Amino acid sequence: MDVAGRVARPGVVRLPAGSRVVDAVERAGGVLPGTDTTGLALARVLTDGEQVLVDGRPGPAPPPPEAAGGGSPSGSSAGSAGGSAVGSAGRPLNLNTATVEQLDALPGVGPVLAQRIIDWRAANGPFTSPDQLGEVSGVGDRRLADLLPLVTA
């Protein structure tokens, strides 16, 4: 697991199968003082290779990782739990769990547009279809067409 954000020792940690988000956070030295963890689903069971992002933002816990490509687990990333970016195991990036850093890694998406995608998700709730990416300011038809094969909802 890659534990990032507001933790004492960010980085890759090894955990046994069946470990939970709280185990990953503890292995990374715990959250920094004053960090809001209400946006973390601390009891959620982790999937191998995913990223846990402790961003300190209050709010409801993110959705659990979804199955992609016929039921194989995909990485996840959301305000608090994140996963593999496009190219890792060939899985599309989940718009509902992706971090700003993961979105920024998509072709044609810089940090400003990545933040707009996160802001759209915060204002409108989870994406129900990758096509909704076209509703984000700065995502035109051409960029949407380029991104659709790389993302999922």
Side-chain angles (χ1 to χ4, degrees):
M1 300 303 119
D2 176 18
V3 184
R6 298 190 46 81
V7 293
R9 294 184 310 273
V12 176
V13 298
R14 290 187 181 267
L15 296 165
S19 294
R20 299 182 181 272
V21 171
V22 67
D23 301 322
V25 171
E26 287 174 3
R27 184 69 58 95
V31 298
L32 297 177
T35 301
D36 189 332
T37 60
T38 59
L40 289 172
L42 292 170
R44 184 178 60 76
V45 176
L46 294 165
T47 303
D48 185 33
E50 77 175 272
Q51 180 186 59
V52 174
L53 175 63
V54 181
D55 63 9
R57 293 183 187 174
E66 298 178 23
S72 62
S74 72
S76 71
S77 135
S80 60
S84 30
V86 175
S88 297
R91 295 185 193 121
L93 183 63
N94 189 317
L95 293 170
N96 293 316
T97 57
T99 64
V100 169
E101 293 80 11
Q102 290 171 319
L103 291 165
D104 184 15
L106 291 169
V109 177
V112 172
L113 183 54
Q115 186 60 54
R116 285 185 193 154
I117 294 168
I118 298 291
D119 292 344
W120 186 97
R121 186 174 70 200
N124 299 286
F127 288 87
T128 57
S129 165
D131 292 324
Q132 285 181 302
L133 197 53
E135 297 177 24
V136 176
S137 175
V139 178
D141 292 341
R142 183 172 177 182
R143 183 165 291 143
L144 179 62
D146 291 341
L147 292 174
L148 284 177
L150 305 175
V151 296
T152 188

